[in-house]
Amino acid sequence: MSMDNLKISPALEKYMTKEYRDLVERGPYGKQKKVSEMGTFKEIIEEHPMCAGCAMTLFIRLTMIGLPNPEHTILVGTAGCGRLALSQTSIPFIYGNYGDTNAVASGLKRGLEMRFPEQPKDVVVMAGDGGLADIGFSTVLHSWFRKEKFTTIMLDNEVYGNTGGQESGMTERGAILKMAPKGKKYEKMDMLGLAKTANVPYIVRMTVTNPTRVASVVRKAVLIAREIGPTFIQAYTSCNIEYAIPTPKVIDDAKSLEAERYGFQEFISDEAKAFLESIEPKKAKATKSTED
Amino acid sequence: MYLVAHVDTSICSETACKLCTQFCPETNTILYDNDKKTAFVAVDRCKACEICVSICDTMAKHHAIKMIMITELENPFEMNKAGFNPAKWKELPETVVLEKVAK
Ligand SMILES: Cc1ncc(C[n+]2csc(CCOP(=O)(O)OP(=O)(O)O)c2C)c(N)n1
Ligand code: SF4
Ligand code: SF4
Ligand code: SF4
């Protein structure tokens, strides 16, 4: 159905940009691509103004590859750096107000279920730590307690990157930032613990060090959200500007943080695991984890 | 003048591990030529972060990518002009690295 929407009407062909034709002919629609195929197919994201070497950019790029059905996906985001790339994707992107992403996504997902009872439509929220843990905190938590069926991805750069370096609830205690010159006084918020308290059936903490794993986790999170309930990915996506990380060292930084305090964690409920096994018998094994 | 990443295709094609392609933050910037078995860069999309250089040097250990002044490249590949169309890329002129241009 949606494939027909993507096709170009022959009468309009000569007016379409080459980027659009490339997408229709050589994009990932209707045939999920693998990370190992990157560089050989037209990707969903076009050029965008995120900073050079930004780990968040890489994470968003990998997320788009993990989406099981980009042609049936709607992204919800808000103010913050991530939307600079998210708004340049060839899938619908809703720019929510800062703070209301998960309320918007709840209504959207319910509406889509009513409108398209036969066709699953995936809703994915992607926003910063400020957007989700601070200003959007209440709508995030309530969407989890209400068991809304969509995926929330926190692009955790541990700072308000887009507005020049204020501390967020997700900043580590003691971190010194431009707008926190004496160092943050409070602990980093335990969003994973809160997700567990809310009985979120699939919760992951990860970084960008393993591209295949990023795509595979996103895929699982989106599939589980279709059938079982809310899913949550908290990803360390460093801000090289506010944390003064030389760009060639961005992946090394992610690796050392992974070893220190941001190790891969994957929590999956029995129900979610059984569901994955029922649709993909071989693949359902949990991604190799360092903890729990 | 500014720097862009440049893949030495003779080194890369020996292994063509595709690691750099998976770690470049920018989309469709390090591309992969299935026939020539090599990675190559769309210079108009490269933001010169050098992540690919460190990936090729330290993770792949192949040392096939160097940062190079854009003016030292003749016929660099540009996505804006070529579009994502591997069948047509074959018709493009070879990219050549010029001798050091006088500063
Ligand atoms: C209601 C509201 N308050 C404040 C802002 C200003 N604002 C824009 S982006 C931003 C910070 C974003 O930080 P975060 O969500 O962590 O994302 P990042 O830029 O770090 O990716 C703020 C405070 C806004 N757009 N709307
Ligand atoms: S300000 Fe930081 S998070 Fe935002 S695009 Fe630049 S490097 Fe990335
Ligand atoms: S990492 Fe180096 S060897 Fe591997 S594909 Fe890239 S340029 Fe070629
Ligand atoms: S320098 Fe950065 S943007 Fe340019 S090709 Fe390498 S990884 Fe990509």
Side-chain angles (χ1 to χ4, degrees):
Chain A
M1 179 198 71
S2 73
M3 289 309 172
D4 288 334
N5 292 346
L6 288 167
K7 276 184 207 147
I8 302 171
S9 147
L12 297 175
E13 218 158 303
K14 64 178 173 192
Y15 301 109
M16 298 304 284
T17 61
K18 67 174 171 313
E19 285 79 7
Y20 194 98
R21 289 159 193 248
D22 291 347
L23 256 177
V24 175
E25 285 160 27
R26 291 169 284 277
Y29 293 110
K31 39 187 187 294
Q32 193 178 14
K33 299 287 188 184
K34 297 196 206 83
V35 167
S36 58
E37 293 173 279
M38 283 164 84
T40 63
F41 63 91
K42 170 78 178 168
E43 288 173 55
I44 281 173
I45 309 174
E46 267 305 321
E47 287 177 281
H48 58 73
M50 286 183 76
C51 300
C54 179
M56 191 186 291
T57 312
L58 173 57
F59 190 85
I60 293 172
R61 180 179 177 219
L62 296 167
T63 298
M64 294 304 124
I65 290 163
L67 295 175
N69 292 91
E71 66 280 9
H72 291 296
T73 305
I74 298 184
L75 298 167
V76 179
T78 188
C81 290
R83 53 82 206 230
L84 296 168
L86 292 169
S87 56
Q88 304 310 313
T89 60
S90 60
I91 40 185
F93 170 69
I94 296 179
Y95 191 123
N97 283 318
Y98 206 60
D100 70 8
T101 48
N102 283 43
V104 169
S106 301
L108 178 66
K109 177 67 190 190
R110 293 187 197 191
L112 289 167
E113 274 185 345
M114 267 187 246
R115 172 65 182 79
F116 301 102
E118 309 294 331
Q119 173 60 59
K121 295 279 181 184
D122 303 319
V123 173
V124 178
V125 173
M126 271 180 112
D129 45 309
L132 297 177
D134 292 350
I135 309 188
F137 184 69
S138 76
T139 71
V140 170
L141 269 268
H142 277 280
S143 72
W144 289 347
F145 281 114
R146 288 196 309 268
K147 308 210 176 304
E148 304 286 352
K149 289 180 171 164
F150 62 85
T151 301
T152 304
I153 301 179
M154 183 196 286
L155 302 162
D156 180 17
N157 57 3
E158 308 194 315
V159 65
Y160 285 49
N162 206 218
T163 43
Q166 298 79 11
E167 71 181 44
S168 85
M170 299 300 284
T171 303
E172 275 279 288
R173 192 157 80 104
I176 293 170
L177 294 159
K178 270 189 218 131
M179 308 272 183
K182 292 188 172 173
K184 187 186 172 193
K185 284 188 188 152
Y186 314 102
E187 297 294 333
K188 182 178 175 84
M189 284 168 73
D190 180 13
M191 286 299 281
L192 301 158
L194 290 166
K196 280 182 194 160
T197 302
N199 286 321
V200 171
Y202 188 66
I203 306 165
V204 172
R205 179 177 76 181
M206 69 185 327
T207 73
V208 291
T209 57
N210 183 336
T212 304
R213 184 158 73 184
V214 175
S216 133
V217 159
V218 169
R219 178 177 163 79
K220 285 195 263 182
V222 171
L223 291 175
I224 292 168
R226 258 184 215 168
E227 289 296 323
I228 311 293
T231 53
F232 177 52
I233 301 170
Q234 180 188 306
Y236 174 66
T237 54
S238 67
C239 175
N240 63 64
I241 299 288
E242 295 306 333
Y243 280 90
I245 307 165
T247 54
K249 298 265 175 242
V250 160
I251 306 296
D252 291 343
D253 164 76
K255 276 188 190 161
S256 61
L257 229 70
E258 200 169 53
E260 241 168 71
R261 62 175 174 86
Y262 223 105
F264 181 71
Q265 279 186 3
E266 184 181 48
F267 164 83
I268 182 165
S269 74
D270 292 340
E271 193 191 5
K273 199 187 254 172
F275 164 68
L276 279 190
E277 270 160 19
S278 73
I279 53 167
E280 302 184 321
K282 270 175 285 159
K283 282 196 189 157
K285 271 202 298 169
T287 315
K288 220 173 136 237
S289 166
T290 49
E291 282 172 65
D292 31 71
Chain B
M1 280 216 288
Y2 55 94
L3 291 164
V4 290
H6 176 72
V7 177
D8 183 326
T9 54
S10 63
I11 305 178
C12 176
S13 59
E14 284 170 22
T15 50
C17 64
K18 298 189 185 175
L19 276 176
C20 56
T21 322
Q22 299 174 18
F23 281 95
C24 171
E26 302 301 319
T27 39
N28 287 151
T29 301
I30 306 192
L31 303 155
Y32 189 76
D33 186 325
N34 275 326
D35 295 331
K36 293 184 187 154
K37 304 242 174 304
T38 181
F40 65 102
V41 175
V43 292
D44 55 339
R45 290 190 164 215
C46 173
K47 292 181 181 170
C49 68
E50 292 184 44
I51 286 180
C52 56
V53 176
S54 68
I55 293 290
C56 191
D57 285 354
T58 61
M59 208 182 274
K61 300 198 167 47
H62 291 136
H63 311 281
I65 313 183
K66 297 263 172 311
M67 300 309 291
I68 185 169
M69 280 294 167
I70 183 83
T71 43
E72 285 167 27
L73 289 173
E74 196 173 70
N75 307 321
F77 179 88
E78 286 174 66
M79 183 60 79
N80 254 324
K81 290 188 185 151
F84 195 98
N85 197 344
K88 293 218 168 135
W89 293 346
K90 291 187 181 70
E91 298 157 20
L92 297 172
E94 284 278 314
T95 301
V96 184
V97 184
L98 301 170
E99 292 300 309
K100 282 259 178 290
V101 191
K103 300 251 158 71

